[in-house]
Amino acid sequence: MIIEFSRGSKCKKYHDHFSKAIYFFLKELKIPVKELERIFINVSIKNTGFGDFDVVGQVWNPFEDPIEDGIINIKLDIRQRYHVKKMLSTIAHECVHIKQYVMGELKDNKVTTSWKGKRYKDDLDPKYLAYEVPWEKEAYSKQDLLVEKFLSSG
């Protein structure tokens, strides 16, 4: 796995810490080593939220960009927050989504999103999307546990 930070990313003093966290989270989520080796993640940390809803983190569907030479390209955007632990929680949440995409559980073609074969329209109420869809429920249920495991791992 290759993790790089975009030019201009904030929180430079935490880049190494966040890289270690991403690697730890994805291993904890049991992505097979063969798949981990194919992942290229570009991380961007900004002062503002992303998209129309000012979200604090997002993963761009890795299948929007071509898979070049067998490499899965992923864009991970994180909003800078005042507490590193909150940023780690956002990173952990987004890593669950990376696992979902890589393992084929979550697929998004910009018109519909599929979760384990069941289709969801993308025009659902954003509040519903944020908390009620199964891929978000999984991410919220795992983020804090992942952060606690990472912080206690030394």
Side-chain angles (χ1 to χ4, degrees):
M1 173 178 10
I2 297 173
I3 301 167
E4 76 171 21
F5 287 80
S6 296
R7 271 169 102 209
S9 273
K10 304 297 181 188
C11 302
K12 286 186 183 2
K13 68 181 180 179
Y14 294 111
H15 285 189
D16 284 342
H17 188 60
F18 292 156
S19 291
K20 289 175 187 169
I22 291 167
Y23 184 75
F24 180 89
F25 297 151
L26 294 177
K27 280 189 71 174
E28 280 292 310
L29 291 165
K30 303 195 181 343
I31 295 177
V33 172
K34 182 176 126 185
E35 296 300 320
L36 281 175
E37 291 171 352
R38 298 178 54 216
I39 297 174
F40 174 85
I41 302 174
N42 178 272
V43 182
S44 179
I45 301 173
K46 299 179 180 178
N47 289 329
T48 59
F50 303 94
D52 296 334
F53 306 107
D54 199 35
V55 296
V56 296
Q58 66 182 5
V59 172
W60 296 14
N61 184 339
F63 302 110
E64 285 179 353
D65 295 323
I67 298 175
E68 297 177 19
D69 299 324
I71 301 299
I72 302 169
N73 294 296
I74 297 172
K75 180 78 171 122
L76 171 60
D77 294 329
I78 303 295
R79 181 178 178 180
Q80 180 178 352
R81 303 181 73 190
Y82 295 106
H83 301 285
V84 172
K85 190 171 180 180
K86 286 186 178 187
M87 290 180 72
L88 284 171
S89 183
T90 300
I91 292 168
H93 181 102
E94 299 306 325
C95 282
V96 174
H97 293 317
I98 291 171
K99 184 268 306 181
Q100 294 166 343
Y101 284 123
V102 170
M103 301 305 291
E105 300 166 328
L106 183 61
K107 296 179 182 178
D108 186 354
N109 68 8
K110 297 199 182 217
V111 176
T112 61
T113 301
S114 296
W115 171 252
K116 297 184 178 181
K118 182 179 177 186
R119 295 173 69 168
Y120 293 78
K121 288 186 178 181
D122 282 352
D123 62 354
L124 293 172
D125 180 331
K127 290 179 185 172
Y128 176 79
L129 279 174
Y131 299 102
E132 297 301 322
V133 291
W135 58 92
E136 289 296 343
K137 284 182 178 181
E138 180 184 16
Y140 280 112
S141 73
K142 292 183 177 179
Q143 68 187 36
D144 293 334
L145 179 61
L146 286 167
V147 171
E148 292 308 318
K149 281 184 172 182
F150 174 70
L151 293 175
S152 66
S153 70

